[in-house]
Amino acid sequence: MSLTFYYSPMSTASVTQLVLAELGVPHEAIRVDLKKGEAKTPEYLKLNPNAKVPLVVHDGTAIWESSALTMYLGEMFGVDKQLWPAPGPQRGEAMKWVAWTNVSLGDAVQRVARNLMWAPEDQRNAAAAAQGVKDVQVLLGVLDGALAGKSYLLGDTYTVADTHVHSFTDWLRHMNTDFAPWTNINAWSARCGSRPAYKAVMAAGTT
Ligand SMILES: N[C@@H](CCC(=O)N[C@@H](CS)C(=O)NCC(=O)O)C(=O)O
């Protein structure tokens, strides 16, 4: 088995890095310097024509999109370890949260980030940013409600769906999102943050 993980610190690749650590998958990690254009070389573009990280090459097949990677790695390496559900409704639930994070929550968060930070100043829209902030709070309410009375997204058992969603909420905290109303999320975050794999990745300082 050969698995190569292309990443850059402080990027979406952190999600995949945490998932790989949680699953204990042996791999080679290759750091891609985005500022130096290392994701735009002809060799890299052959593997990921989107010129982005994360990228995993597993036994010669290139797989990108962090949501796909969490689901794929969970399916390949997580079922025996009870870190990903076997096929069935619980797997559907796990997939639901991973897709929701990248598509629904991701959309609102990107509207905020684009209109406050990422876009050139003359392309930013304060009203769109303000609406994005409101939408993020509505979506966090959905997550908080789903965690009521539960230790983890799927109930009593931690899965890499938790790793995925938690990594994203960590980033939201860095963006100064208001988490004060979300007591269920905060208690769940503390549980996710106490996982040995999470602590080891944070201590290594490569995320
Ligand atoms: N939808 C993709 C987004 C990946 C993405 O946006 N990666 C950024 C870093 S956070 C990137 O590699 N950007 C290339 C660059 O900045 O040159 C995923 O979820 O994997």
Side-chain angles (χ1 to χ4, degrees):
M1 200 280 281
S2 103
L3 194 146
T4 310
F5 169 50
Y6 295 81
Y7 76 101
S8 176
M10 314 257 292
S11 78
T12 312
S14 302
V15 178
T16 310
Q17 187 177 7
L18 287 160
V19 168
L20 285 165
E22 196 61 66
L23 295 169
V25 182
H27 63 275
E28 181 190 5
I30 297 185
R31 185 172 172 156
V32 179
D33 192 328
L34 298 174
K35 290 209 178 88
K36 283 193 189 152
E38 287 178 1
K40 295 187 175 132
T41 63
E43 297 76 32
Y44 192 88
L45 290 172
K46 261 189 223 156
L47 297 170
N48 186 356
N50 302 291
K52 287 184 175 160
V53 291
L55 161 69
V56 163
V57 180
H58 185 200
D59 288 339
T61 298
I63 304 163
W64 26 262
E65 286 299 331
S66 58
S67 52
L69 282 165
T70 296
M71 295 189 262
Y72 175 71
L73 294 168
E75 180 178 320
M76 289 298 296
F77 305 106
V79 178
D80 289 350
K81 294 177 178 160
Q82 301 198 321
L83 286 165
W84 190 251
Q90 281 232 308
R91 177 170 293 185
E93 274 206 290
M95 293 166 78
K96 166 182 87 178
W97 283 113
V98 173
W100 176 86
T101 298
N102 283 44
V103 179
S104 302
L105 185 57
D107 166 63
V109 171
Q110 289 206 16
R111 279 187 278 123
V112 177
R114 215 176 297 126
N115 287 292
L116 287 183
M117 305 183 279
W118 292 345
E121 288 207 21
D122 60 349
Q123 290 172 30
R124 294 183 198 172
N125 179 325
Q131 186 60 49
V133 169
K134 279 189 199 154
D135 292 345
V136 167
Q137 288 300 317
V138 171
L139 289 155
L140 289 178
V142 170
L143 178 61
D144 197 77
L147 287 166
K150 280 196 240 162
S151 297
Y152 300 108
L153 289 167
L154 300 194
D156 294 334
T157 310
Y158 180 91
T159 68
V160 289
D162 294 286
T163 317
H164 189 101
V165 183
H166 175 240
S167 170
F168 207 88
T169 56
D170 251 7
W171 180 59
L172 286 180
R173 287 180 201 277
H174 285 297
M175 283 178 60
N176 294 324
T177 304
D178 182 12
F179 277 84
W182 310 125
T183 50
N184 296 323
I185 297 180
N186 293 335
W188 162 82
S189 290
R191 285 189 285 277
C192 295
S194 70
R195 305 272 311 169
Y198 177 87
K199 285 193 190 164
V201 170
M202 291 301 142
T206 50
T207 48

